[in-house]
Amino acid sequence: MSLVIAGTMAFDAIETPFGKTDKIIGGSATYAAWSASHFTSPIKQISIIGGDFPQEEIDALKSRGVEFEGVDVLKDEKSFFWSGKYHLDMNTRDTLVTDLNVLAKFDPKVPASYQDCEFLMLGNLMPSLQKQIINQLPKRPKLIIMDTMNFWMDIAMDDLMETIKMVDLLMVNDAEARQLSGEYSLVKAAQKIMAMGPQFLIIKKGEHGALLFHKTHVFFAPALPLEEVFDPTGAGDTFAGGFIGHLARTKDISFENMKTGIIIGSAMASFVVEKFGTQRLKEISNDQIMERLNYFVDLVNFDIDIVS
Ligand code: AMP
């Protein structure tokens, strides 16, 4: 059994109404791996970094069971860099800078030791590269999950459509679901997107939770009402890591188990936003995760007595 996670490993510079960071560690695959490492190991990472990516971060991830054979290192070049600024509501942000750097040269090769992949998480990355990774696996994984963003819809829509066709589950936020489908209603958007290929669709709605769609079924998971959201960066990738980490641990890809996965993903996302970057994901214990999951159960638990 193995979980393969592909995506960016990056430097981010973030500005929120509550503070500003210089370059800190980020990237879709970094957040997803930290989050998934609380549920399963090994995690086989596919990414590319420059010589500037800190060895301590690599060592810390390795100590959590993250394998680096599929991570290319271009010693004399710079890692992917992204910078974003959040608006006051923290649900919307502007991308200020996207410097592809090493990503422009990325030609992912899936190592032989990754070929037993049962669960594949394609984190946010160029859609053509996501497709290249799927095509290198001789045996189709049990479940292929893909995340993407508006950036790729704007510049690589044809590649994106081809890749979406190949995956089992697509994850996007509400604005991206609307952009991809051309529908304002999320229910109509979901039907249109599932007709593009994926059997399952997750629409993330930031502080308003997440929806899971499959055929005519819909499940809603709230986000935890938090007193303070410090930095929402990576919340989506952290959600994805918790979700797929749970599925990989339980090896159960039923709709029912995905419901649990969504709650776990939401709990992990509720941690990551409490501090800048991946900091919170490094600190939390299993007990704290369990405590938060129980909090979620209480949040949505109610008795109802319908008198006929
Ligand atoms: P999220 O907040 O979940 O959307 O993820 C934010 C992370 O995605 C940051 O750590 C960035 O480094 C990374 N990121 C931003 N833009 C891109 C992009 N175009 N492709 C891949 N990763 C990106």
Side-chain angles (χ1 to χ4, degrees):
M1 190 304 295
S2 78
L3 167 61
V4 173
I5 294 180
T8 48
M9 297 185 74
F11 284 112
D12 293 342
I14 301 154
E15 206 178 318
T16 77
F18 308 105
K20 206 174 162 172
T21 65
D22 224 1
K23 283 183 165 183
I24 58 168
I25 300 292
S28 54
T30 313
Y31 280 103
W34 272 112
S35 180
S37 74
H38 288 277
F39 305 96
T40 188
S41 98
I43 293 164
K44 301 181 178 189
Q45 195 85 334
I46 298 182
S47 193
I48 186 164
I49 52 178
D52 53 356
F53 200 84
Q55 188 60 42
E56 311 87 76
E57 183 69 18
I58 298 173
D59 293 342
L61 282 162
K62 282 185 177 168
S63 73
R64 300 282 314 180
V66 181
E67 296 180 4
F68 271 69
E69 208 188 328
V71 179
D72 290 346
V73 185
L74 301 190
K75 280 221 155 11
D76 300 322
E77 308 215 14
K78 285 185 181 168
S79 302
F80 176 68
F81 173 71
W82 175 80
S83 169
K85 182 176 175 177
Y86 288 86
H87 300 178
L88 198 59
D89 70 359
M90 296 288 245
N91 275 329
T92 47
R93 70 181 176 204
D94 295 325
T95 289
L96 304 178
V97 183
T98 301
D99 282 339
L100 294 180
N101 298 328
V102 288
L103 204 58
K105 296 191 177 160
F106 195 26
D107 180 21
K109 296 271 180 295
V110 180
S113 64
Y114 285 30
Q115 302 283 350
D116 64 344
C117 168
E118 273 196 286
F119 292 87
L120 175 61
M121 166 77 224
L122 296 167
N124 191 9
L125 196 62
M126 280 99 138
S128 57
L129 299 185
Q130 292 175 316
K131 184 171 141 196
Q132 191 175 325
I133 292 167
I134 301 175
N135 283 336
Q136 284 178 56
L137 293 169
K139 191 165 160 261
R140 197 177 197 286
K142 219 173 156 131
L143 191 76
I144 304 178
I145 295 187
M146 170 183 176
D147 191 3
T148 190
M149 75 187 294
N150 54 348
F151 183 77
W152 305 118
M153 292 176 199
D154 295 338
I155 67 164
M157 193 56 152
D158 290 349
D159 284 339
L160 184 65
M161 291 303 284
E162 276 180 36
T163 313
I164 285 177
K165 219 182 269 176
M166 301 167 79
V167 307
D168 302 300
L169 187 152
L170 180 72
M171 260 181 210
V172 282
N173 69 29
D174 42 359
E176 290 156 355
R178 290 184 171 120
Q179 183 173 348
L180 189 59
S181 64
E183 292 286 351
Y184 183 79
S185 148
L186 291 181
V187 175
K188 282 189 186 161
Q191 295 308 332
K192 271 204 179 170
I193 294 171
M194 287 189 288
M196 295 171 189
Q199 290 184 54
F200 298 91
L201 174 71
I202 291 177
I203 300 182
K204 299 167 287 182
K205 289 160 59 68
E207 67 172 330
H208 305 297
L211 292 157
L212 167 67
F213 293 90
H214 174 54
K215 296 184 179 157
T216 55
H217 307 288
V218 193
F219 175 70
F220 171 70
L224 207 65
L226 291 168
E227 251 172 68
E228 276 176 54
V229 173
F230 201 70
D231 169 22
T233 309
D237 310 308
T238 301
F239 172 94
F243 177 78
I244 195 135
H246 168 72
L247 296 190
R249 186 178 70 79
T250 53
K251 301 189 179 83
D252 174 356
I253 57 167
S254 65
F255 184 74
E256 281 307 306
N257 197 41
M258 284 188 189
K259 289 183 184 177
T260 310
I262 281 218
I263 301 287
I264 290 176
S266 303
M268 296 308 286
S270 76
F271 282 116
V272 79
V273 301
E274 290 176 344
K275 288 192 180 170
F276 271 123
T278 53
Q279 188 56 36
R280 231 18 217 122
L281 296 178
K282 297 178 180 175
E283 302 166 349
I284 44 171
S285 64
N286 282 347
D287 286 349
Q288 287 173 307
I289 296 173
M290 280 315 295
E291 197 184 320
R292 201 152 282 195
L293 286 171
N294 285 325
Y295 194 38
F296 262 92
V297 172
D298 289 343
L299 185 68
V300 290
N301 201 10
F302 60 90
D303 290 324
I304 187 162
D305 196 6
I306 299 172
V307 185
S308 52

